[in-house]
Amino acid sequence: MSQPLLSIEALSAISTRDGGQPVLRDVDLTLKRGEVRGLVGESGAGKSTVAKAVLGILPSTVKLTGGWVRFEGQDLMQMKRAAFSALLGRDITLIPQDPQTALNPARSIEAQLTDGLRLKLGLSRTAARARALELMDEVQIRDPARVLAAYPHQLSGGMRQRILIAAAFAPEPKLVVADEPTTALDVTVQKEILRLIRRMQEAHGTAVIFVTHDLGVVAKICDSVTLLYAGKVIEDGPTARLLNALRHAYTRALLSAGPRYDRPDAGLEPVPEAVFAQLRAEIGLSQSNSEGPRS
Amino acid sequence: MADLSLPLAVPRHRGKTLRVLLTEPRVVLAGGFLALLLLVALFAPALAPKDPLEQDLMLGTLPPAWLEGAEPGFLLGTDDLGRDVLSRALYGTRIALTVAVTAAGLSALIGTALGLAAGWYGGWADRIISRMVDIWMAFPPVLLSVLLVAVLGSGLHSVIAAIVIIDWTRFCRVIRAETINQAGLDYVTAARAIGFSRRQILFKEILPNVAPVLAALISLEMGIAVIVEAILSFVGLSLSSDTPTWGGMIAQGRQMIHQGWWVLVVPLLALFATVLAFNQLGNGLRVALDPVMRR
Amino acid sequence: MAVSPLITRLGLALVTLFGVAVIVFCLLRVVPGDPVAMMISPSATPADIAALKARYGLDLGLGAQFMLWLGAVARGDFGTSISLRRDVLELIGERLPATLELAFAALVFGILAGGMLAIFGTLCRRTPLEPVLDFLNGLFLAVPDFVWALALVLLFGVFLPVLPISGRLDPSVPVAFATPFYLLESLARLNLAAVGDLLAHMAMPVLALGLPLAAIIVRTLKEALIEAMLQDYVLLARLKGMSPLRLVVQEALRNAVGPTLTLTGVQFTFMIGGTVIVERIFAYPGLGNMAIDAVINRDLPLIQGIVLTFGALFIAINIATDLIAALLNPRQAHG
């Protein structure tokens, strides 16, 4: 494998609102084909901004100031609008965060699952429906014909997320961006969904960028991890190495801040302020601009 | 992605209100225009170049000064009876503003009292008042006002009475909804916990918080009252056709539209500007005085 | 919609209609001036007047008069117009279709223009065109049909005389209509000359009534569309390659249309109220125009009939709006 699937080089961005606060500072990230990469950081660290930059859906409050995003060698930033649009939804797809809001309440599941297939792959209505039934089977939805005819409000959160996963893998993309796909779900459903994403990814050989703040999730699903703090990459490497070493104070802090699956009632432990102070000193930030924009 | 800003009942600072109002351009512009209109109404006898009632059939249907055939001294021309259009339009502000202020004030008084009663005390009071509003809403307002003036006899008092009888419902509906809304907020519970009586809470807590909505509604109602008066004058049910009113002039202008369009254009523009000003003032007040929208 | 809320709704509607009837009846009993004195020649003897009063039940007590009147109304007997000396129901039957054609044409125009402009406005978001559209919309929201009607008369009747400013049909158009629904009938018969002339006469009243409605629809619908466009499902659809127009129409519109629909129902009743004065301005032979004449002539039976008709119409529209809203909501339609 010579060429990486996705390479992000020195990506920088500022917020257009808070007087040009940096949102991303020289972010580098390389993703091989079929790799599952965790993009980890606290809220505001810039992980969603990176994901949105790849999808070309940055909000108007964020402006890119430099760097490249190359997909299979092509610079996405310089690409013609039409070529980029053709790429999106076919080679790069998205599993969104909240299955409550990611399905249109007014359209049937079939309409929503098939319009990607019809628009992007040019399938006929019947072919798209047949493919949709296969996909439903693959994401382990029982009675797929009935679910296809249903409307979103008739399905559970886990069921909806399965459908969104099916839709994301439907066009056989090379890269799936999963934007905190389990945060809105019950803990028990979370595990199933993680397993499902991993299995789908392996079966289709798809690379995944998995955006999360939860190192517990990373440990379960990711091959490698990029850790962001205040818009800067502070750690990058294989998951096993990262988790075993726990070299960095921030990594430890973040891990202890994650929810405890063995003790769900324990709640979240706050990250000690001293750890943040040390981190700020380490990456050369002053106190005042440590608060990045919320994603 | 979710916007978590919660509407809170912000304490009002009386001294600041005026300054806040002056920062809202609509309030300044529309308020300025209406203040000017008030001056015109007060000083109409000094401003009007002619007696608005003086007829001279020799000088009938003269065009405005910039057109051919105009007579000096009749800046905006004359109607078919030779009366000065400018002078009549200036005097017309008197009737328009009288109706606006009295009709809007009285409807606000009645509507607010009933709206507060229905919203705050609920129960049978709410049921009766709400049903009355429903019945009122089943009448076409224009038809009802025509009917009422026919019953009450034509004249200024009847016009004002008709507007009040019809339009108290506008205040009642909005104030009722707003009261129910406010009653559910925490500050009301807090006031009750301190031991304020229901009546005290109504006047000390609820009323000041519905006041911004009320101010906006009164301004909007003034615009509506001006229109209703014009409509009734147009139909011939307001004041005698001698009295200079915009609606009366419009009716006259509509009849002689092919002979002298200016008789219609002048009062119509006056009506247009006045209604627009009341409307913009109302909208501006609503935005400027709303503690939630004020940021 | 389930059956029982519908029945409740109908029950409440009947109560409201009864209230309207009571108010109309009471209002007209306090009208100064004896209606009988107006119907009869000055040379009539007191015995003649008494006979006439007995005929109309005017010699009974108020309660008895009301029951008599209500019973007659329930049987479809609205009495005889005093000024026109014809059956009230017949008169309403002639005039109501003209008003309905006008109101529905204005409704269709308002919905189409408002809907399209709302979609256009959503697509124009954050462009230099947005403030221009918002300003114009504010203007049409602020100024009512009465003023627009007169402005249109000046514009297309006087300064640029391209449209007729009064009436419903030019007498030179030779058509013998079998029904009072002239426009529908001409359309059904494919009589294009008559359709053209009817539409030319309706154009300005329809604009005057429809533009403020369109403005309200634009404001409400655009707000809801912009809200809906922020949802994740729109983002996903955008990634699937849908065009902006299709995003708005297919993804956002159905989820955004609910509040607009309810509002349109309410505004439609206001608009029918507006036909009264707009018909007057354009001398359009509808129910509203006749209503004003009836009031000026103190024609009690006619006024009662017309006001009750309007009241029933308003209530019917409210119920229809509720039904349509329920049908369009997938949660209820497929639940």
Side-chain angles (χ1 to χ4, degrees), chain B residues 46-217:
Chain B
L47 291 168
K50 302 274 173 199
D51 179 350
L53 300 178
E54 190 188 311
Q55 301 185 8
D56 187 344
L57 293 178
M58 298 303 290
L59 294 170
T61 325
L62 291 175
W66 60 89
L67 292 179
E68 205 176 321
E71 285 281 331
F74 296 97
L75 194 59
L76 296 177
T78 62
D79 63 13
D80 50 351
L81 299 174
R83 296 177 296 194
D84 182 39
V85 169
L86 175 62
S87 302
R88 288 181 73 74
L90 289 177
Y91 269 89
T93 54
R94 296 188 143 193
I95 303 289
L97 290 188
T98 308
V99 172
V101 171
T102 44
L106 287 172
S107 348
L109 206 64
I110 297 171
T112 307
L114 290 173
L116 285 173
W120 184 234
Y121 293 106
W124 59 267
D126 187 23
R127 275 200 292 278
I128 292 179
I129 293 171
S130 297
R131 186 100 322 251
M132 265 170 74
V133 172
D134 277 357
I135 292 172
W136 249 249
M137 301 280 292
F139 286 98
V142 175
L143 184 55
L144 186 55
S145 54
V146 168
L147 194 63
L148 280 169
V149 173
V151 170
L152 300 168
S154 51
L156 199 58
H157 294 294
S158 307
V159 171
I160 292 167
I163 296 172
V164 174
I165 291 172
I166 297 164
D167 281 351
W168 64 271
T169 54
R170 287 179 202 275
F171 290 89
C172 187
R173 270 164 51 224
V174 177
I175 297 296
R176 172 181 174 272
E178 189 68 13
T179 304
I180 290 174
N181 196 7
Q182 295 286 337
L185 296 180
D186 282 346
Y187 76 93
V188 172
T189 319
R192 202 175 283 181
I194 296 170
F196 281 156
S197 72
R198 286 189 69 83
R199 176 189 290 266
Q200 275 173 323
I201 298 174
L202 180 60
F203 288 103
K204 290 211 165 95
E205 306 284 338
I206 305 261
L207 194 57
N209 278 294
V210 299
V213 177
L214 187 58
L217 275 181

Side-chain angles (χ1 to χ4, degrees), chain C residues 104-129:
Chain C
F104 275 96
L107 178 69
V108 170
F109 169 80
I111 289 175
L112 287 182
M116 286 195 286
L117 284 170
I119 291 169
F120 184 65
T122 310
L123 293 172
C124 286
R125 204 160 138 71
R126 301 220 175 86
T127 68
L129 214 54

Side-chain angles (χ1 to χ4, degrees), chain A residues 15-55:
Chain A
S15 160
T16 54
R17 268 198 304 216
D18 313 320
Q21 277 262 5
V23 179
L24 297 179
R25 307 151 188 262
D26 290 334
V27 171
D28 292 328
L29 189 155
T30 313
L31 188 70
K32 291 187 297 228
R33 286 172 198 278
E35 179 184 349
V36 180
R37 166 68 57 101
L39 203 53
V40 187
E42 62 180 11
S43 130
K47 55 189 194 305
S48 284
T49 310
V50 173
K52 283 177 183 155
V54 172
L55 293 164

Side-chain angles (χ1 to χ4, degrees), chain A residues 249-271:
Chain A
Y250 183 72
T251 318
R252 280 195 298 275
L254 205 66
L255 193 61
S256 69
R260 299 280 299 268
Y261 293 114
D262 51 343
R263 281 167 51 207
D265 56 335
L268 295 172
E269 278 183 48
V271 179

